[in-house]
Every structure is written in structure tokens, then in C-alpha cells.
Amino acid sequence: MGDVLIRLDEVSIGYGRPLMRPIDLEIRRGEFWGVVGPNGAGKTTLARTILGLLDPVGGRVDVRAKGLRYSYTPQRHRLSASYPVSAFEVVLMGRTAYLPVGRRPGPDDRKRATEELARLDMAEHGKALFRSLSGGQQQRVLFARALAVDPDVLVLDEPAEGMDLLGTSDILRFLRRLNADGRMAVLMISHRIDHVIDTVDHLCIINKDSDTFEAGPVATIASPERLSSLYGRPITTRVHDGRTHVELKEV
Amino acid sequence: MPADIGFWASSFVWRDAMIVAVLSASALAYLGVWVVLKRAVYVPLALSQVSSAGVVLAFLIGAWLGVDEHDRHGLGMLFDPSWMSLLFALLTAFWFARPRGESSNAVVVAYLLGSAAVLVLGGFVRQDLHDVQSVLFGNAVLVDTIQILYVGVAALVAALVHALMHRRFLFVSFDPDAAGAAGLGPFRVEVALYATFALMISVATRAIGALPAFGLMVLPALTGLHLGRSMRAAFAISVASGVLAAGFGYYASFVLGLPTGASMVALAGLVHLGSLVARRA
């Protein structure tokens, strides 16, 4: 088992007051976690707490061990479309955080940014304005930015947000290959259980409205009973062609 | 043209004012690009009002302490209108730099409180009204030579901060959550950015007036961002149109006998409207 990178100990998440009962969570290097729940369930609040962007209302969050690198790709709608920055410049931003004040990105930083753009099939769009790219292309650029710093912890918030079938399929295929070497811990937040369940090895289900929080291996957590309880509708799961499929039962 | 001859022949009258206007315009237009990108266009207006409240308070305290306006020592120096104006603007900038501070009601509250304080406290200032008005809102026609130094130093400090922190400002402004996750400390970076706004606005308001300071921060930046296809181009176009508006606006006001600050702003507005038309054509 990899070393523990994130530990939540009796943590209450929320903005000023707890959204739900205190939660415990331990995330290790090499694990690929999915955080699922309905819209407005508290997923992004949990992610922001884990990343240190939001102070917990109570409890203790052990993150940011010295030397560890954290990358976050937020939901795209949170970004402003008015910045005249190229895709390459966006990728380079990620490297900026680790440079001393006043230092410009050097050849190594540029090389790394170029490599990640190429890895995500975005090499030819490096000079294009970020705002002129399609949603799927923007998402790839944000992935490239996150990966260009060789993170220990990568948090992806709704990575398939606003994408068509093809774009979603490409992104999910990329994510499945992403952590093959087990070098980092990945946390993928999504309201689409069908996207997550077949991609990750650990699952966190959360819903502040029903005070639900459970975390563990997918095989344990993704039971029809738990998912039905999470979404408030009967849900079944079945394995087909080696993949887990989630189906909503007609009521 | 006789008017031209009159303008150039009387350069000793307008030289300092022109230098201050062009210097202020270039720094404000550069910073304005950030202000517009951050959708914080009312921030300079609020900063200007709050710094004006600082000036009025300085006059009141000075009067209470019996400070001679032309011979400030000790406590009198501490409550100098320039320092108080800057201090108030910096404190407000610190407030705005909080997460979502610039987009919240904080800007409106600061603007209204600053405006109310100027009007309420201003009634108690026994100083000659013209003196107070001149310090509060500047005088783009005639400026003290010392204003060149103030504006020059402020612009230099702002330029230095931006040269050192440009990329951090960009990351934190574009994607504060990702920057925070990477450990950049968005609040610290935002404080540095807003402090440069406060510095330049408080100095420029006193040097050229509230309306031109606000107008030259916002209008050239809108032009730059409308025409620029990169951050560098946006900054360059913004600064160029700001300098053009300040220089030719001053010239037009001198030759045609128009209000100086308003002429600068009107020209900056016309340049922006021209950019909208040019982009459509």
C-alpha cells in the first residue's frame, strides 16, 4: 500500500456551519478515488476542504505534507472566458506556482508543458486562445496543466462536464490510463456515477441532504442498496464485458 | 495654427501637468487590464472615494492638532493627506482582496461610505474649500512638480511588483482555486495586486482627479482587451490608448478651453467606441 497522502479525521465540512455529520477518509498514493453524489450533495465542498481551499468547520485535515504537489482542475464554468491567454500559457501557469517570485518559466518548464499538451493530443492547439477551444479541448488543456507539475495528488472536479458522448468517452479512457504507474493519488468528483464507477478503484458517496457519507473500495461501496439510498431511487448494477453498468429502475 | 503656437509656446504652463497625466494614464491603463479581467471595474471608483475620505479626515485631524498645512512636522506629518489617502485605499484594497471580495457588496459599501464620509466630514473642515477640493479631486490643469515624483514613484513601485509577480497574478486571477491548490496562497497574491490598484488610484486621484483616474483605468483597458489577442497585446494597446487619451485630451482641453479631465475621459471613450467599430468592420 502507498503512503497516506490525505487524512480526514472527524472532519465537518461546510461554509461556517457543518453540512453533515463528521467524516473520516484516508487516501493513499496509487489510489484512484471517485466522489459521487447528486447535484449539490457537498462533493466540491469536500474537495475544497481536502485541498486546503476551505477550512473545515471541525476536525482535522492532514494534507500538504512538505514537498507534495497538489493539482486541481475545477469545473470549467468557474473560469473566466475573457482572458486572452493561449492554451500553452494556461499549461505553463501550473508550473508558475513552483517557481520563486520573479522567476520566469525556463526551458524545462516549457518542455514539460509541451510534452503534456502532446500527451493529451493538444500539441497543435498550443498557440490557440484558450477561450476559443471547445469544452473538451479546454478540459484537456486543464488536465495538461494539472499533470505538468507531476502532482502527488490530482483532484478533478466534474472532468466530463458539458461534453458530448465522444468527448466524455475519450476523457474517461484517458483517465483510466492516467494512474497506471500508481505514482499519484487521484480524486475524481462527478455527479455521474456511471462515469465514475468504471474508472476508479475506490468510491466515496456523499449526500448532505440525507447525511450520507461512505468510503471504500468500489466493490464494497457500489452496492445497489447504497446507491439507491444515495440517489433516492431504485438503482441496480450489473457487470457486462468486464465493466460495471449502473441502471436506474423504472418506478 | 495660432492655437498650436500658443500651446507649444506656453509649454512651461502645461509641461508638468502633461507629464503627470501621461505617467498616470500609462500606469492606470496597465493596471486597468487586470481590473477589467477580474470584473472589478467599480473597485477603482470605491478606492478613489475611500482615499478621498482619508484626505478629509487628515484635514480634520490636522485642524484639531493645529497643524500648519504648509509646515508639517511630527504628528502633522503622520496625518498628512497623502499618507492618509494611501492608508485608507490600502486598507480597503486589503478588504477587497478577500475571496469574492471584489464581486461582493463590499465595493458598493466602500463607495457609499467613502462618499458619505467625504460629504459629512467635509462640512467640518475649515480649510479653504478650494484647497480641499484641489487635494481631493486633483487638478489636471496645474499640478505641483512634486506630483511628478509621487506619480513616478507609485508607477515605478507598481511596475516592480507586477514585473516580479505577473505570472502569479495571472494564475490566481484566471483560476484562483487551482492556484490555491498548488499552494500559491491566493489571498496574499490578491493583496499584492489590489495594493497596486490602491497605490495608483490614490496617487492619481490626487494628481489628475477622480473622474480621469477612474476613466483612464477602465476605458483604455476595455479597448486593449477588445482588440488584443494576447495579454501582452492587451496591455500594449491599453497603455497606448491611455497615453493617447491623456496627451491629446490635455491638448484638446488647452486649445479648445474644455475641462481637462473630462476631455481625457471623453477621448478614451471615443477610442474605445472606435475599437468596437473597427472590430466589427
Side-chain angles (χ1 to χ4, degrees), chain B residues 6-53:
Chain B
F7 180 76
W8 294 110
S10 50
S11 62
F12 63 94
V13 176
W14 52 258
R15 189 195 59 207
D16 288 356
M18 178 72 95
I19 292 171
V20 163
V22 167
L23 253 179
S24 300
S26 55
L28 290 168
Y30 179 88
L31 296 175
V33 173
W34 292 106
V35 166
V36 173
L37 281 174
K38 294 174 75 61
R39 296 174 184 169
V41 288
Y42 293 109
V43 162
L45 204 57
L47 287 174
S48 168
Q49 283 304 315
V50 172
S51 69
S52 296

mmCIF file of all heavy atoms in Angstrom, chain B residues 6-53:
data_model
loop_
_atom_site.group_PDB
_atom_site.id
_atom_site.type_symbol
_atom_site.label_atom_id
_atom_site.label_comp_id
_atom_site.label_asym_id
_atom_site.label_seq_id
_atom_site.Cartn_x
_atom_site.Cartn_y
_atom_site.Cartn_z
ATOM 1 N N GLY B 6 0.322 78.877 -29.575
ATOM 2 C CA GLY B 6 0.059 79.209 -28.192
ATOM 3 C C GLY B 6 0.321 78.029 -27.283
ATOM 4 O O GLY B 6 0.911 78.189 -26.212
ATOM 5 N N PHE B 7 -0.055 76.879 -27.727
ATOM 6 C CA PHE B 7 0.126 75.671 -26.909
ATOM 7 C C PHE B 7 1.613 75.389 -26.686
ATOM 8 O O PHE B 7 2.060 75.232 -25.554
ATOM 9 C CB PHE B 7 -0.543 74.487 -27.620
ATOM 10 C CG PHE B 7 -0.417 73.191 -26.863
ATOM 11 C CD1 PHE B 7 -1.196 72.953 -25.750
ATOM 12 C CD2 PHE B 7 0.485 72.210 -27.266
ATOM 13 C CE1 PHE B 7 -1.084 71.762 -25.053
ATOM 14 C CE2 PHE B 7 0.604 71.022 -26.578
ATOM 15 C CZ PHE B 7 -0.189 70.794 -25.467
ATOM 16 N N TRP B 8 2.372 75.347 -27.778
ATOM 17 C CA TRP B 8 3.783 74.996 -27.633
ATOM 18 C C TRP B 8 4.574 76.106 -26.954
ATOM 19 O O TRP B 8 5.510 75.840 -26.196
ATOM 20 C CB TRP B 8 4.403 74.651 -28.995
ATOM 21 C CG TRP B 8 3.796 73.400 -29.577
ATOM 22 C CD1 TRP B 8 2.984 73.304 -30.655
ATOM 23 C CD2 TRP B 8 3.928 72.075 -29.050
ATOM 24 N NE1 TRP B 8 2.585 72.009 -30.857
ATOM 25 C CE2 TRP B 8 3.156 71.225 -29.867
ATOM 26 C CE3 TRP B 8 4.598 71.528 -27.961
ATOM 27 C CZ2 TRP B 8 3.050 69.868 -29.650
ATOM 28 C CZ3 TRP B 8 4.499 70.167 -27.741
ATOM 29 C CH2 TRP B 8 3.728 69.356 -28.571
ATOM 30 N N ALA B 9 4.185 77.364 -27.251
ATOM 31 C CA ALA B 9 4.907 78.490 -26.650
ATOM 32 C C ALA B 9 4.707 78.539 -25.136
ATOM 33 O O ALA B 9 5.558 79.038 -24.407
ATOM 34 C CB ALA B 9 4.434 79.798 -27.280
ATOM 35 N N SER B 10 3.570 78.005 -24.696
ATOM 36 C CA SER B 10 3.313 78.048 -23.254
ATOM 37 C C SER B 10 3.564 76.693 -22.586
ATOM 38 O O SER B 10 2.881 76.319 -21.646
ATOM 39 C CB SER B 10 1.876 78.513 -23.006
ATOM 40 O OG SER B 10 0.989 77.756 -23.794
ATOM 41 N N SER B 11 4.528 75.992 -23.104
ATOM 42 C CA SER B 11 4.792 74.639 -22.580
ATOM 43 C C SER B 11 5.161 74.666 -21.094
ATOM 44 O O SER B 11 4.914 73.692 -20.375
ATOM 45 C CB SER B 11 5.914 73.971 -23.380
ATOM 46 O OG SER B 11 7.107 74.717 -23.245
ATOM 47 N N PHE B 12 5.733 75.786 -20.646
ATOM 48 C CA PHE B 12 6.113 75.858 -19.226
ATOM 49 C C PHE B 12 4.873 75.790 -18.320
ATOM 50 O O PHE B 12 4.963 75.409 -17.166
ATOM 51 C CB PHE B 12 6.898 77.148 -18.961
ATOM 52 C CG PHE B 12 6.101 78.401 -19.211
ATOM 53 C CD1 PHE B 12 5.421 79.025 -18.170
ATOM 54 C CD2 PHE B 12 6.012 78.948 -20.485
ATOM 55 C CE1 PHE B 12 4.677 80.167 -18.399
ATOM 56 C CE2 PHE B 12 5.259 80.090 -20.714
ATOM 57 C CZ PHE B 12 4.582 80.703 -19.679
ATOM 58 N N VAL B 13 3.721 76.129 -18.876
ATOM 59 C CA VAL B 13 2.484 76.098 -18.079
ATOM 60 C C VAL B 13 1.989 74.658 -17.922
ATOM 61 O O VAL B 13 1.587 74.237 -16.848
ATOM 62 C CB VAL B 13 1.369 76.951 -18.755
ATOM 63 C CG1 VAL B 13 0.060 76.833 -17.980
ATOM 64 C CG2 VAL B 13 1.812 78.391 -18.873
ATOM 65 N N TRP B 14 2.042 73.910 -19.037
ATOM 66 C CA TRP B 14 1.386 72.598 -19.006
ATOM 67 C C TRP B 14 2.359 71.406 -18.901
ATOM 68 O O TRP B 14 1.929 70.272 -18.756
ATOM 69 C CB TRP B 14 0.494 72.411 -20.242
ATOM 70 C CG TRP B 14 1.145 72.670 -21.587
ATOM 71 C CD1 TRP B 14 1.005 73.774 -22.353
ATOM 72 C CD2 TRP B 14 2.021 71.790 -22.314
ATOM 73 N NE1 TRP B 14 1.719 73.668 -23.509
ATOM 74 C CE2 TRP B 14 2.360 72.448 -23.510
ATOM 75 C CE3 TRP B 14 2.564 70.527 -22.065
ATOM 76 C CZ2 TRP B 14 3.210 71.882 -24.466
ATOM 77 C CZ3 TRP B 14 3.419 69.969 -23.010
ATOM 78 C CH2 TRP B 14 3.729 70.639 -24.199
ATOM 79 N N ARG B 15 3.660 71.687 -18.982
ATOM 80 C CA ARG B 15 4.614 70.576 -19.047
ATOM 81 C C ARG B 15 4.439 69.580 -17.879
ATOM 82 O O ARG B 15 4.275 68.382 -18.096
ATOM 83 C CB ARG B 15 6.048 71.122 -19.055
ATOM 84 C CG ARG B 15 7.104 70.054 -19.334
ATOM 85 C CD ARG B 15 8.475 70.548 -18.966
ATOM 86 N NE ARG B 15 8.518 70.914 -17.550
ATOM 87 C CZ ARG B 15 9.346 71.813 -17.042
ATOM 88 N NH1 ARG B 15 10.171 72.469 -17.819
ATOM 89 N NH2 ARG B 15 9.336 72.084 -15.744
ATOM 90 N N ASP B 16 4.461 70.082 -16.660
ATOM 91 C CA ASP B 16 4.364 69.177 -15.501
ATOM 92 C C ASP B 16 3.032 68.438 -15.481
ATOM 93 O O ASP B 16 2.973 67.236 -15.194
ATOM 94 C CB ASP B 16 4.518 69.964 -14.194
ATOM 95 C CG ASP B 16 5.942 70.436 -13.990
ATOM 96 O OD1 ASP B 16 6.808 70.075 -14.826
ATOM 97 O OD2 ASP B 16 6.202 71.166 -13.014
ATOM 98 N N ALA B 17 1.972 69.184 -15.797
ATOM 99 C CA ALA B 17 0.637 68.556 -15.797
ATOM 100 C C ALA B 17 0.553 67.454 -16.856
ATOM 101 O O ALA B 17 -0.028 66.388 -16.631
ATOM 102 C CB ALA B 17 -0.434 69.602 -16.043
ATOM 103 N N MET B 18 1.160 67.740 -18.002
ATOM 104 C CA MET B 18 1.141 66.746 -19.086
ATOM 105 C C MET B 18 1.927 65.488 -18.687
ATOM 106 O O MET B 18 1.481 64.360 -18.925
ATOM 107 C CB MET B 18 1.733 67.367 -20.351
ATOM 108 C CG MET B 18 1.806 66.434 -21.535
ATOM 109 S SD MET B 18 0.178 66.094 -22.219
ATOM 110 C CE MET B 18 0.102 67.318 -23.520
ATOM 111 N N ILE B 19 3.093 65.716 -18.063
ATOM 112 C CA ILE B 19 3.907 64.564 -17.626
ATOM 113 C C ILE B 19 3.124 63.714 -16.625
ATOM 114 O O ILE B 19 3.057 62.486 -16.739
ATOM 115 C CB ILE B 19 5.250 65.043 -16.999
ATOM 116 C CG1 ILE B 19 6.139 65.678 -18.079
ATOM 117 C CG2 ILE B 19 5.976 63.884 -16.326
ATOM 118 C CD1 ILE B 19 7.375 66.364 -17.531
ATOM 119 N N VAL B 20 2.496 64.386 -15.659
ATOM 120 C CA VAL B 20 1.716 63.661 -14.639
ATOM 121 C C VAL B 20 0.552 62.903 -15.286
ATOM 122 O O VAL B 20 0.299 61.740 -14.970
ATOM 123 C CB VAL B 20 1.200 64.648 -13.558
ATOM 124 C CG1 VAL B 20 0.085 64.025 -12.740
ATOM 125 C CG2 VAL B 20 2.335 65.047 -12.641
ATOM 126 N N ALA B 21 -0.122 63.578 -16.223
ATOM 127 C CA ALA B 21 -1.288 62.934 -16.862
ATOM 128 C C ALA B 21 -0.854 61.703 -17.654
ATOM 129 O O ALA B 21 -1.479 60.637 -17.560
ATOM 130 C CB ALA B 21 -1.989 63.935 -17.779
ATOM 131 N N VAL B 22 0.225 61.838 -18.421
ATOM 132 C CA VAL B 22 0.669 60.716 -19.264
ATOM 133 C C VAL B 22 1.213 59.570 -18.401
ATOM 134 O O VAL B 22 0.930 58.394 -18.654
ATOM 135 C CB VAL B 22 1.717 61.208 -20.297
ATOM 136 C CG1 VAL B 22 2.416 60.040 -20.967
ATOM 137 C CG2 VAL B 22 1.047 62.095 -21.336
ATOM 138 N N LEU B 23 1.977 59.942 -17.358
ATOM 139 C CA LEU B 23 2.506 58.908 -16.451
ATOM 140 C C LEU B 23 1.356 58.161 -15.767
ATOM 141 O O LEU B 23 1.331 56.924 -15.711
ATOM 142 C CB LEU B 23 3.365 59.568 -15.376
ATOM 143 C CG LEU B 23 4.882 59.406 -15.448
ATOM 144 C CD1 LEU B 23 5.526 60.160 -14.304
ATOM 145 C CD2 LEU B 23 5.290 57.947 -15.433
ATOM 146 N N SER B 24 0.407 58.939 -15.248
ATOM 147 C CA SER B 24 -0.739 58.323 -14.562
ATOM 148 C C SER B 24 -1.504 57.431 -15.526
ATOM 149 O O SER B 24 -1.880 56.304 -15.192
ATOM 150 C CB SER B 24 -1.691 59.396 -14.026
ATOM 151 O OG SER B 24 -1.036 60.226 -13.118
ATOM 152 N N ALA B 25 -1.750 57.958 -16.730
ATOM 153 C CA ALA B 25 -2.545 57.206 -17.704
ATOM 154 C C ALA B 25 -1.879 55.879 -18.056
ATOM 155 O O ALA B 25 -2.556 54.850 -18.155
ATOM 156 C CB ALA B 25 -2.748 58.042 -18.965
ATOM 157 N N SER B 26 -0.571 55.891 -18.236
ATOM 158 C CA SER B 26 0.101 54.645 -18.642
ATOM 159 C C SER B 26 0.010 53.603 -17.531
ATOM 160 O O SER B 26 -0.292 52.430 -17.783
ATOM 161 C CB SER B 26 1.553 54.905 -19.053
ATOM 162 O OG SER B 26 2.225 55.550 -18.014
ATOM 163 N N ALA B 27 0.230 54.039 -16.272
ATOM 164 C CA ALA B 27 0.167 53.079 -15.157
ATOM 165 C C ALA B 27 -1.269 52.606 -14.927
ATOM 166 O O ALA B 27 -1.521 51.405 -14.744
ATOM 167 C CB ALA B 27 0.716 53.716 -13.885
ATOM 168 N N LEU B 28 -2.222 53.558 -14.978
ATOM 169 C CA LEU B 28 -3.618 53.187 -14.746
ATOM 170 C C LEU B 28 -4.130 52.257 -15.844
ATOM 171 O O LEU B 28 -4.847 51.291 -15.575
ATOM 172 C CB LEU B 28 -4.494 54.447 -14.698
ATOM 173 C CG LEU B 28 -4.313 55.353 -13.478
ATOM 174 C CD1 LEU B 28 -5.012 56.690 -13.703
ATOM 175 C CD2 LEU B 28 -4.848 54.678 -12.216
ATOM 176 N N ALA B 29 -3.751 52.549 -17.085
ATOM 177 C CA ALA B 29 -4.228 51.723 -18.197
ATOM 178 C C ALA B 29 -3.676 50.300 -18.095
ATOM 179 O O ALA B 29 -4.367 49.330 -18.427
ATOM 180 C CB ALA B 29 -3.820 52.353 -19.523
ATOM 181 N N TYR B 30 -2.441 50.179 -17.638
ATOM 182 C CA TYR B 30 -1.860 48.839 -17.463
ATOM 183 C C TYR B 30 -2.637 48.078 -16.372
ATOM 184 O O TYR B 30 -3.094 46.945 -16.582
ATOM 185 C CB TYR B 30 -0.382 48.949 -17.084
ATOM 186 C CG TYR B 30 0.259 47.600 -16.862
ATOM 187 C CD1 TYR B 30 0.823 46.899 -17.919
ATOM 188 C CD2 TYR B 30 0.258 47.013 -15.603
ATOM 189 C CE1 TYR B 30 1.379 45.645 -17.725
ATOM 190 C CE2 TYR B 30 0.809 45.757 -15.400
ATOM 191 C CZ TYR B 30 1.369 45.081 -16.458
ATOM 192 O OH TYR B 30 1.905 43.827 -16.268
ATOM 193 N N LEU B 31 -2.788 48.736 -15.226
ATOM 194 C CA LEU B 31 -3.485 48.072 -14.110
ATOM 195 C C LEU B 31 -4.951 47.805 -14.460
ATOM 196 O O LEU B 31 -5.544 46.828 -14.000
ATOM 197 C CB LEU B 31 -3.405 48.940 -12.852
ATOM 198 C CG LEU B 31 -2.003 49.173 -12.298
ATOM 199 C CD1 LEU B 31 -2.054 50.146 -11.132
ATOM 200 C CD2 LEU B 31 -1.377 47.854 -11.851
ATOM 201 N N GLY B 32 -5.503 48.690 -15.292
ATOM 202 C CA GLY B 32 -6.913 48.555 -15.666
ATOM 203 C C GLY B 32 -7.217 47.232 -16.353
ATOM 204 O O GLY B 32 -8.333 46.712 -16.242
ATOM 205 N N VAL B 33 -6.231 46.703 -17.079
ATOM 206 C CA VAL B 33 -6.450 45.411 -17.753
ATOM 207 C C VAL B 33 -6.789 44.340 -16.713
ATOM 208 O O VAL B 33 -7.709 43.539 -16.891
ATOM 209 C CB VAL B 33 -5.205 45.002 -18.577
ATOM 210 C CG1 VAL B 33 -5.350 43.589 -19.127
ATOM 211 C CG2 VAL B 33 -4.993 45.990 -19.725
ATOM 212 N N TRP B 34 -6.083 44.364 -15.593
ATOM 213 C CA TRP B 34 -6.375 43.401 -14.515
ATOM 214 C C TRP B 34 -7.753 43.661 -13.920
ATOM 215 O O TRP B 34 -8.510 42.737 -13.641
ATOM 216 C CB TRP B 34 -5.312 43.498 -13.408
ATOM 217 C CG TRP B 34 -3.968 43.026 -13.833
ATOM 218 C CD1 TRP B 34 -2.874 43.793 -14.102
ATOM 219 C CD2 TRP B 34 -3.551 41.667 -14.050
ATOM 220 N NE1 TRP B 34 -1.820 43.005 -14.474
ATOM 221 C CE2 TRP B 34 -2.204 41.700 -14.447
ATOM 222 C CE3 TRP B 34 -4.190 40.431 -13.954
ATOM 223 C CZ2 TRP B 34 -1.483 40.551 -14.742
ATOM 224 C CZ3 TRP B 34 -3.474 39.286 -14.248
ATOM 225 C CH2 TRP B 34 -2.140 39.346 -14.635
ATOM 226 N N VAL B 35 -8.036 44.966 -13.716
ATOM 227 C CA VAL B 35 -9.317 45.343 -13.107
ATOM 228 C C VAL B 35 -10.480 44.836 -13.957
ATOM 229 O O VAL B 35 -11.435 44.249 -13.442
ATOM 230 C CB VAL B 35 -9.392 46.881 -12.936
ATOM 231 C CG1 VAL B 35 -10.807 47.326 -12.632
ATOM 232 C CG2 VAL B 35 -8.459 47.350 -11.831
ATOM 233 N N VAL B 36 -10.361 45.023 -15.277
ATOM 234 C CA VAL B 36 -11.445 44.589 -16.167
ATOM 235 C C VAL B 36 -11.517 43.068 -16.219
ATOM 236 O O VAL B 36 -12.603 42.487 -16.154
ATOM 237 C CB VAL B 36 -11.258 45.183 -17.584
ATOM 238 C CG1 VAL B 36 -12.272 44.602 -18.550
ATOM 239 C CG2 VAL B 36 -11.394 46.703 -17.536
ATOM 240 N N LEU B 37 -10.362 42.417 -16.317
ATOM 241 C CA LEU B 37 -10.354 40.950 -16.379
ATOM 242 C C LEU B 37 -10.965 40.342 -15.127
ATOM 243 O O LEU B 37 -11.639 39.313 -15.184
ATOM 244 C CB LEU B 37 -8.925 40.430 -16.551
ATOM 245 C CG LEU B 37 -8.358 40.501 -17.960
ATOM 246 C CD1 LEU B 37 -6.892 40.082 -17.966
ATOM 247 C CD2 LEU B 37 -9.144 39.612 -18.923
ATOM 248 N N LYS B 38 -10.732 40.985 -14.005
ATOM 249 C CA LYS B 38 -11.260 40.461 -12.744
ATOM 250 C C LYS B 38 -12.708 40.895 -12.509
ATOM 251 O O LYS B 38 -13.271 40.604 -11.462
ATOM 252 C CB LYS B 38 -10.387 40.924 -11.565
ATOM 253 C CG LYS B 38 -8.992 40.336 -11.620
ATOM 254 C CD LYS B 38 -8.103 40.911 -10.535
ATOM 255 C CE LYS B 38 -8.442 40.348 -9.186
ATOM 256 N NZ LYS B 38 -8.271 38.890 -9.081
ATOM 257 N N ARG B 39 -13.264 41.561 -13.508
ATOM 258 C CA ARG B 39 -14.638 42.067 -13.416
ATOM 259 C C ARG B 39 -14.823 42.893 -12.153
ATOM 260 O O ARG B 39 -15.790 42.714 -11.398
ATOM 261 C CB ARG B 39 -15.633 40.907 -13.431
ATOM 262 C CG ARG B 39 -15.601 40.152 -14.739
ATOM 263 C CD ARG B 39 -16.458 38.949 -14.715
ATOM 264 N NE ARG B 39 -16.325 38.197 -15.958
ATOM 265 C CZ ARG B 39 -16.802 36.991 -16.136
ATOM 266 N NH1 ARG B 39 -17.445 36.383 -15.171
ATOM 267 N NH2 ARG B 39 -16.635 36.369 -17.277
ATOM 268 N N ALA B 40 -13.840 43.756 -11.927
ATOM 269 C CA ALA B 40 -13.851 44.563 -10.708
ATOM 270 C C ALA B 40 -13.776 46.039 -11.081
ATOM 271 O O ALA B 40 -13.065 46.812 -10.443
ATOM 272 C CB ALA B 40 -12.669 44.166 -9.824
ATOM 273 N N VAL B 41 -14.546 46.449 -12.114
ATOM 274 C CA VAL B 41 -14.392 47.815 -12.618
ATOM 275 C C VAL B 41 -14.831 48.886 -11.621
ATOM 276 O O VAL B 41 -14.413 50.036 -11.742
ATOM 277 C CB VAL B 41 -15.150 48.026 -13.954
ATOM 278 C CG1 VAL B 41 -14.465 47.309 -15.093
ATOM 279 C CG2 VAL B 41 -16.591 47.619 -13.854
ATOM 280 N N TYR B 42 -15.648 48.525 -10.656
ATOM 281 C CA TYR B 42 -16.065 49.541 -9.683
ATOM 282 C C TYR B 42 -15.091 49.654 -8.512
ATOM 283 O O TYR B 42 -15.230 50.547 -7.679
ATOM 284 C CB TYR B 42 -17.480 49.243 -9.176
ATOM 285 C CG TYR B 42 -18.501 49.419 -10.280
ATOM 286 C CD1 TYR B 42 -19.146 48.331 -10.838
ATOM 287 C CD2 TYR B 42 -18.772 50.677 -10.795
ATOM 288 C CE1 TYR B 42 -20.047 48.494 -11.882
ATOM 289 C CE2 TYR B 42 -19.669 50.846 -11.837
ATOM 290 C CZ TYR B 42 -20.301 49.757 -12.381
ATOM 291 O OH TYR B 42 -21.173 49.928 -13.416
ATOM 292 N N VAL B 43 -14.112 48.757 -8.485
ATOM 293 C CA VAL B 43 -13.120 48.818 -7.408
ATOM 294 C C VAL B 43 -12.356 50.150 -7.413
ATOM 295 O O VAL B 43 -12.225 50.797 -6.365
ATOM 296 C CB VAL B 43 -12.161 47.599 -7.479
ATOM 297 C CG1 VAL B 43 -10.887 47.842 -6.691
ATOM 298 C CG2 VAL B 43 -12.876 46.363 -6.957
ATOM 299 N N PRO B 44 -11.843 50.617 -8.585
ATOM 300 C CA PRO B 44 -11.134 51.901 -8.562
ATOM 301 C C PRO B 44 -12.005 53.059 -8.094
ATOM 302 O O PRO B 44 -11.518 53.971 -7.408
ATOM 303 C CB PRO B 44 -10.679 52.108 -10.004
ATOM 304 C CG PRO B 44 -11.240 51.023 -10.818
ATOM 305 C CD PRO B 44 -11.739 49.960 -9.898
ATOM 306 N N LEU B 45 -13.290 53.010 -8.441
ATOM 307 C CA LEU B 45 -14.203 54.075 -8.025
ATOM 308 C C LEU B 45 -14.323 54.094 -6.496
ATOM 309 O O LEU B 45 -14.245 55.143 -5.859
ATOM 310 C CB LEU B 45 -15.578 53.817 -8.653
ATOM 311 C CG LEU B 45 -16.505 54.997 -8.843
ATOM 312 C CD1 LEU B 45 -15.855 56.076 -9.682
ATOM 313 C CD2 LEU B 45 -17.805 54.544 -9.486
ATOM 314 N N ALA B 46 -14.492 52.899 -5.926
ATOM 315 C CA ALA B 46 -14.616 52.797 -4.469
ATOM 316 C C ALA B 46 -13.304 53.204 -3.789
ATOM 317 O O ALA B 46 -13.313 53.925 -2.788
ATOM 318 C CB ALA B 46 -14.999 51.367 -4.081
ATOM 319 N N LEU B 47 -12.186 52.766 -4.363
ATOM 320 C CA LEU B 47 -10.881 53.114 -3.772
ATOM 321 C C LEU B 47 -10.677 54.626 -3.795
ATOM 322 O O LEU B 47 -10.160 55.214 -2.841
ATOM 323 C CB LEU B 47 -9.746 52.431 -4.554
ATOM 324 C CG LEU B 47 -9.597 50.923 -4.363
ATOM 325 C CD1 LEU B 47 -8.532 50.367 -5.310
ATOM 326 C CD2 LEU B 47 -9.226 50.591 -2.919
ATOM 327 N N SER B 48 -11.091 55.231 -4.881
ATOM 328 C CA SER B 48 -10.940 56.677 -5.020
ATOM 329 C C SER B 48 -11.745 57.415 -3.945
ATOM 330 O O SER B 48 -11.256 58.352 -3.313
ATOM 331 C CB SER B 48 -11.397 57.061 -6.432
ATOM 332 O OG SER B 48 -11.527 58.432 -6.546
ATOM 333 N N GLN B 49 -12.977 56.955 -3.715
ATOM 334 C CA GLN B 49 -13.826 57.609 -2.706
ATOM 335 C C GLN B 49 -13.272 57.420 -1.305
ATOM 336 O O GLN B 49 -13.272 58.348 -0.501
ATOM 337 C CB GLN B 49 -15.254 57.040 -2.772
ATOM 338 C CG GLN B 49 -16.072 57.576 -3.928
ATOM 339 C CD GLN B 49 -16.163 59.091 -3.919
ATOM 340 O OE1 GLN B 49 -16.402 59.707 -2.893
ATOM 341 N NE2 GLN B 49 -15.945 59.706 -5.069
ATOM 342 N N VAL B 50 -12.816 56.192 -1.031
ATOM 343 C CA VAL B 50 -12.303 55.926 0.318
ATOM 344 C C VAL B 50 -11.018 56.708 0.563
ATOM 345 O O VAL B 50 -10.802 57.252 1.657
ATOM 346 C CB VAL B 50 -12.064 54.404 0.508
ATOM 347 C CG1 VAL B 50 -11.360 54.134 1.817
ATOM 348 C CG2 VAL B 50 -13.392 53.661 0.469
ATOM 349 N N SER B 51 -10.170 56.805 -0.447
ATOM 350 C CA SER B 51 -8.937 57.568 -0.251
ATOM 351 C C SER B 51 -9.265 59.060 -0.069
ATOM 352 O O SER B 51 -8.590 59.764 0.681
ATOM 353 C CB SER B 51 -7.946 57.339 -1.397
ATOM 354 O OG SER B 51 -8.403 57.920 -2.576
ATOM 355 N N SER B 52 -10.327 59.518 -0.717
ATOM 356 C CA SER B 52 -10.766 60.911 -0.519
ATOM 357 C C SER B 52 -11.232 61.120 0.920
ATOM 358 O O SER B 52 -10.970 62.169 1.519
ATOM 359 C CB SER B 52 -11.910 61.244 -1.479
ATOM 360 O OG SER B 52 -11.462 61.169 -2.808
ATOM 361 N N ALA B 53 -11.912 60.104 1.459
ATOM 362 C CA ALA B 53 -12.339 60.195 2.867
ATOM 363 C C ALA B 53 -11.108 60.305 3.771
ATOM 364 O O ALA B 53 -11.125 61.040 4.773
ATOM 365 C CB ALA B 53 -13.164 58.970 3.236
#
